[in-house]
Coordinates of all heavy atoms in Angstrom, one line a residue:
N199 N 3.0 122.2 5.1 CA 1.6 122.7 5.3 C 1.5 124.0 6.1 O 0.5 124.4 6.4 CB 0.7 121.6 5.9 CG 1.2 121.2 7.3 OD1 2.1 121.8 7.8 ND2 0.6 120.3 7.9
A200 N 2.7 124.5 6.4 CA 2.7 125.8 7.1 C 4.0 126.6 7.0 O 5.1 126.0 7.0 CB 2.4 125.6 8.6
F201 N 3.9 127.9 6.8 CA 5.0 128.8 6.9 C 4.9 129.5 8.2 O 3.9 130.3 8.4 CB 5.1 129.8 5.7 CG 5.4 129.1 4.4 CD1 4.4 129.1 3.4 CD2 6.6 128.6 4.1 CE1 4.6 128.6 2.2 CE2 6.9 128.0 2.9 CZ 5.9 128.0 1.9
N202 N 5.8 129.3 9.1 CA 5.7 129.8 10.5 C 6.7 131.0 10.7 O 7.6 131.3 10.0 CB 6.0 128.7 11.5 CG 5.0 127.5 11.3 OD1 3.8 127.8 11.0 ND2 5.4 126.3 11.6
A203 N 6.5 131.6 12.0 CA 7.4 132.7 12.3 C 8.7 132.2 12.7 O 9.7 133.1 12.9 CB 6.7 133.5 13.4
D204 N 8.9 130.9 12.9 CA 10.2 130.4 13.4 C 10.5 129.1 12.6 O 11.2 128.2 13.2 CB 10.2 130.1 14.8 CG 9.1 129.2 15.3 OD1 8.3 128.8 14.5 OD2 9.0 129.0 16.5
G205 N 10.0 128.9 11.4 CA 10.3 127.7 10.6 C 9.1 127.3 9.8 O 8.4 128.2 9.2
F206 N 8.9 126.0 9.6 CA 7.8 125.5 8.8 C 7.2 124.3 9.3 O 7.8 123.6 10.2 CB 8.2 125.3 7.3 CG 9.4 124.4 7.2 CD1 9.2 123.0 6.9 CD2 10.8 124.8 7.2 CE1 10.3 122.2 6.8 CE2 11.8 124.0 7.1 CZ 11.6 122.7 6.9
G207 N 5.9 124.0 8.9 CA 5.3 122.8 9.3 C 5.2 121.7 8.2 O 5.1 122.1 7.0
L208 N 5.2 120.5 8.6 CA 5.1 119.4 7.7 C 3.8 118.5 8.0 O 3.4 118.4 9.2 CB 6.3 118.4 7.8 CG 7.6 119.1 7.5 CD1 8.7 118.1 7.9 CD2 7.7 119.5 6.0
G209 N 3.1 118.0 7.0 CA 2.0 117.3 7.2 C 2.3 115.7 7.3 O 3.5 115.4 7.4
A210 N 1.2 114.9 7.4 CA 1.4 113.5 7.6 C 1.7 112.8 6.3 O 0.8 112.1 5.7 CB 0.2 112.9 8.3
D211 N 2.8 113.2 5.7 CA 3.2 112.8 4.4 C 3.1 111.3 4.1 O 3.6 110.5 4.9 CB 4.6 113.2 4.1 CG 5.2 112.8 2.8 OD1 4.5 112.4 1.9 OD2 6.5 112.7 2.7
I212 N 2.3 110.9 3.1 CA 2.4 109.5 2.7 C 3.0 109.2 1.3 O 3.0 108.1 0.8 CB 0.9 108.9 2.7 CG1 0.0 109.7 1.7 CG2 0.3 109.0 4.1 CD1 -1.4 109.1 1.5
G213 N 3.5 110.3 0.7 CA 4.1 110.2 -0.6 C 5.7 110.1 -0.6 O 6.2 109.7 -1.6
G214 N 6.2 110.4 0.5 CA 7.7 110.3 0.7 C 8.5 111.5 0.3 O 9.7 111.4 0.3
Y215 N 7.8 112.6 0.1 CA 8.5 113.8 -0.4 C 9.0 114.8 0.8 O 9.9 115.6 0.5 CB 7.6 114.6 -1.4 CG 7.6 113.9 -2.7 CD1 6.5 113.1 -3.0 CD2 8.5 114.1 -3.7 CE1 6.4 112.4 -4.2 CE2 8.5 113.4 -4.9 CZ 7.4 112.7 -5.2 OH 7.4 111.9 -6.4
A216 N 8.4 114.7 1.9 CA 8.8 115.6 3.0 C 8.8 115.1 4.4 O 9.6 115.5 5.2 CB 7.8 116.8 2.9
N217 N 8.0 114.0 4.7 CA 8.0 113.6 6.1 C 7.5 112.1 6.2 O 6.7 111.8 7.1 CB 7.0 114.5 6.8 CG 6.9 114.3 8.3 OD1 7.8 113.8 9.0 ND2 5.7 114.6 8.9
Y218 N 7.9 111.3 5.4 CA 7.5 109.9 5.4 C 8.3 109.1 6.5 O 9.5 109.3 6.7 CB 7.7 109.2 4.0 CG 7.0 107.9 4.0 CD1 5.7 107.8 3.6 CD2 7.7 106.6 4.2 CE1 5.0 106.6 3.4 CE2 7.0 105.4 4.1 CZ 5.7 105.4 3.7 OH 5.0 104.1 3.6
N219 N 7.6 108.3 7.2 CA 8.1 107.6 8.4 C 9.5 106.9 8.1 O 9.5 106.1 7.1 CB 7.1 106.6 8.9 CG 7.5 106.0 10.3 OD1 8.1 106.7 11.1 ND2 7.2 104.8 10.5
T220 N 10.4 107.1 8.8 CA 11.8 106.6 8.9 C 12.7 107.0 7.7 O 13.9 106.8 7.7 CB 11.8 105.0 8.8 OG1 11.5 104.6 7.5 CG2 10.9 104.4 9.9
F221 N 12.2 107.8 6.8 CA 13.0 108.3 5.7 C 13.8 109.6 6.2 O 13.3 110.3 7.0 CB 12.2 108.8 4.5 CG 11.5 107.6 3.7 CD1 10.6 107.9 2.7 CD2 11.8 106.3 4.0 CE1 10.1 106.8 1.9 CE2 11.2 105.3 3.3 CZ 10.3 105.5 2.2
D222 N 15.0 109.8 5.6 CA 15.9 110.8 6.0 C 15.7 112.0 5.0 O 15.7 111.8 3.8 CB 17.3 110.4 6.1 CG 17.6 109.5 7.2 OD1 16.9 109.6 8.3 OD2 18.5 108.6 7.1
Y223 N 15.7 113.3 5.5 CA 15.6 114.4 4.6 C 16.6 115.5 4.9 O 17.1 115.6 6.1 CB 14.2 115.0 4.8 CG 13.0 114.1 4.5 CD1 12.5 113.1 5.3 CD2 12.5 114.1 3.1 CE1 11.5 112.3 4.9 CE2 11.5 113.2 2.8 CZ 11.0 112.4 3.6 OH 10.0 111.5 3.3
A224 N 16.9 116.2 3.9 CA 17.7 117.5 4.0 C 16.8 118.6 3.6 O 16.0 118.5 2.6 CB 18.9 117.4 3.2
S225 N 16.8 119.8 4.3 CA 16.1 120.9 3.9 C 16.9 122.1 4.0 O 17.7 122.3 5.0 CB 14.8 121.0 4.7 OG 15.1 121.4 6.0
W226 N 16.7 123.1 3.2 CA 17.4 124.4 3.2 C 16.3 125.5 3.2 O 15.5 125.5 2.2 CB 18.4 124.5 2.1 CG 19.4 123.4 2.0 CD1 20.4 123.2 2.7 CD2 19.2 122.2 1.1 NE1 21.1 122.0 2.4 CE2 20.3 121.4 1.4 CE3 18.3 121.8 0.2 CZ2 20.5 120.2 0.8 CZ3 18.5 120.6 -0.5 CH2 19.6 119.8 -0.2
T227 N 16.4 126.4 4.2 CA 15.4 127.6 4.2 C 16.1 128.9 3.9 O 17.1 129.2 4.5 CB 14.8 127.6 5.6 OG1 14.2 126.3 5.9 CG2 13.7 128.7 5.6
F228 N 15.6 129.6 2.9 CA 16.1 130.9 2.5 C 15.0 131.9 2.9 O 13.9 131.8 2.4 CB 16.4 131.0 1.1 CG 17.5 130.1 0.6 CD1 17.3 128.7 0.4 CD2 18.7 130.6 0.3 CE1 18.3 127.9 0.0 CE2 19.7 129.8 -0.2 CZ 19.5 128.4 -0.4
R229 N 15.3 132.9 3.7 CA 14.3 134.0 4.0 C 14.6 135.1 3.1 O 15.7 135.5 2.8 CB 14.5 134.4 5.5 CG 13.2 135.0 6.1 CD 13.5 135.9 7.2 NE 13.9 137.3 6.7 CZ 14.3 138.2 7.4 NH1 14.5 138.0 8.8 NH2 14.7 139.4 6.9
K230 N 13.5 135.8 2.7 CA 13.6 137.0 2.0 C 14.3 138.0 2.8 O 13.9 138.2 4.0 CB 12.2 137.6 1.5 CG 11.4 136.8 0.5 CD 10.2 137.6 0.2 CE 9.3 136.9 -0.8 NZ 8.1 137.6 -1.1
A231 N 15.3 138.7 2.2 CA 16.0 139.7 3.0 C 16.8 140.6 2.0 O 17.5 140.0 1.1 CB 17.0 139.1 4.0
P232 N 16.7 141.9 2.1 CA 17.5 142.7 1.2 C 19.0 142.4 1.2 O 19.5 142.1 2.3 CB 17.3 144.1 1.8 CG 16.0 144.1 2.4 CD 15.9 142.7 3.0
T233 N 19.6 142.3 0.1 CA 21.0 142.0 -0.2 C 21.3 140.6 0.1 O 22.5 140.1 0.1 CB 22.0 142.9 0.6 OG1 21.9 142.6 2.0 CG2 21.7 144.4 0.4
F234 N 20.3 139.6 0.2 CA 20.5 138.2 0.4 C 19.7 137.4 -0.5 O 20.3 136.7 -1.4 CB 20.3 137.8 1.8 CG 20.5 136.3 2.1 CD1 21.8 135.8 2.1 CD2 19.4 135.5 2.4 CE1 21.9 134.5 2.2 CE2 19.5 134.2 2.6 CZ 20.8 133.6 2.5
F235 N 18.4 137.5 -0.5 CA 17.6 136.6 -1.2 C 16.1 137.2 -1.4 O 15.7 137.9 -0.6 CB 17.4 135.2 -0.5 CG 16.5 134.3 -1.2 CD1 16.9 133.6 -2.3 CD2 15.2 134.0 -0.6 CE1 16.0 132.7 -2.9 CE2 14.4 133.1 -1.2 CZ 14.8 132.4 -2.3
D236 N 15.6 136.9 -2.7 CA 14.2 137.4 -2.9 C 13.4 136.4 -3.7 O 14.0 135.6 -4.4 CB 14.2 138.8 -3.6 CG 13.0 139.6 -3.6 OD1 12.0 139.2 -2.7 OD2 12.7 140.5 -4.4
V237 N 12.1 136.5 -3.6 CA 11.2 135.7 -4.4 C 10.2 136.6 -5.1 O 9.6 137.5 -4.4 CB 10.4 134.7 -3.5 CG1 9.5 133.8 -4.4 CG2 11.3 133.8 -2.7
V238 N 10.1 136.4 -6.4 CA 9.3 137.4 -7.2 C 8.4 136.5 -8.1 O 8.8 135.6 -8.7 CB 10.2 138.2 -8.2 CG1 9.3 139.1 -9.1 CG2 11.1 139.1 -7.4
S239 N 7.1 137.0 -8.1 CA 6.1 136.3 -8.9 C 5.7 137.3 -10.0 O 5.6 138.6 -9.8 CB 4.8 136.0 -8.1 OG 5.1 135.2 -7.0
Y240 N 5.5 136.8 -11.2 CA 5.0 137.7 -12.3 C 4.3 136.9 -13.4 O 4.3 135.7 -13.4 CB 6.2 138.5 -12.9 CG 7.2 137.6 -13.7 CD1 7.1 137.4 -15.0 CD2 8.2 137.0 -13.0 CE1 8.0 136.6 -15.7 CE2 9.2 136.2 -13.7 CZ 9.0 136.0 -15.0 OH 10.0 135.2 -15.7
T241 N 3.6 137.6 -14.2 CA 2.8 137.0 -15.4 C 3.5 137.3 -16.6 O 3.8 138.5 -16.8 CB 1.3 137.5 -15.4 OG1 0.7 137.1 -14.2 CG2 0.6 136.8 -16.5
G242 N 3.8 136.4 -17.5 CA 4.5 136.6 -18.7 C 3.7 137.4 -19.7 O 2.4 137.3 -19.7
N243 N 4.3 138.1 -20.6 CA 3.6 138.8 -21.7 C 4.2 138.5 -23.0 O 3.6 139.1 -24.1 CB 3.5 140.3 -21.4 CG 4.9 141.0 -21.4 OD1 5.9 140.4 -21.8 ND2 4.9 142.3 -21.1
G244 N 5.2 137.8 -23.1 CA 5.8 137.4 -24.4 C 6.5 138.6 -25.2 O 6.8 138.4 -26.4
V245 N 6.8 139.7 -24.5 CA 7.3 140.9 -25.1 C 8.8 141.0 -24.7 O 9.1 141.1 -23.5 CB 6.5 142.1 -24.8 CG1 7.2 143.3 -25.4 CG2 5.1 141.9 -25.3
A246 N 9.7 141.1 -25.7 CA 11.1 141.3 -25.4 C 11.3 142.7 -24.8 O 10.7 143.6 -25.2 CB 11.9 141.2 -26.7
G247 N 12.2 142.7 -23.7 CA 12.5 144.0 -23.1 C 11.6 144.3 -21.9 O 11.7 145.3 -21.2
R248 N 10.7 143.3 -21.6 CA 9.8 143.5 -20.4 C 10.6 143.5 -19.1 O 11.6 142.7 -19.0 CB 8.8 142.4 -20.4 CG 7.7 142.5 -19.3 CD 8.2 141.6 -18.1 NE 7.2 141.8 -17.0 CZ 6.1 141.0 -16.9 NH1 5.9 140.0 -17.8 NH2 5.2 141.2 -15.9
T249 N 10.4 144.4 -18.2 CA 11.2 144.4 -16.9 C 10.2 143.9 -15.8 O 9.0 144.2 -15.8 CB 11.7 145.8 -16.6 OG1 10.6 146.8 -16.6 CG2 12.7 146.3 -17.7
V250 N 10.9 143.3 -14.8 CA 10.2 142.8 -13.6 C 10.8 143.4 -12.4 O 12.1 143.3 -12.2 CB 10.2 141.3 -13.5 CG1 9.6 140.8 -12.3 CG2 9.5 140.7 -14.8
A251 N 10.1 144.1 -11.5 CA 10.6 144.7 -10.3 C 10.9 143.6 -9.3 O 10.2 142.6 -9.2 CB 9.7 145.7 -9.8
H252 N 12.0 143.9 -8.4 CA 12.3 143.0 -7.4 C 12.6 143.8 -6.1 O 12.8 145.1 -6.2 CB 13.4 142.0 -7.7 CG 14.8 142.7 -8.0 ND1 15.6 143.1 -6.9 CD2 15.4 143.1 -9.2 CE1 16.7 143.7 -7.4 NE2 16.6 143.7 -8.8
S253 N 12.8 143.1 -5.0 CA 13.1 143.9 -3.7 C 14.4 143.4 -3.1 O 14.5 143.5 -1.9 CB 11.9 143.6 -2.7 OG 10.7 144.1 -3.3

Side-chain angles (χ1 to χ4, degrees):
N199 65 4
F201 293 112
N202 300 326
D204 57 358
F206 56 93
L208 300 171
D211 173 22
I212 59 173
Y215 287 94
N217 186 28
Y218 194 82
N219 191 37
T220 75
F221 289 176
D222 293 329
Y223 296 88
S225 70
W226 306 281
T227 303
F228 295 77
R229 206 205 82 186
K230 290 184 185 181
T233 71
F234 178 68
F235 177 72
D236 195 18
V237 182
V238 177
S239 304
Y240 66 92
T241 301
N243 65 5
V245 177
R248 183 264 180 88
T249 59
V250 178
H252 66 79
S253 300

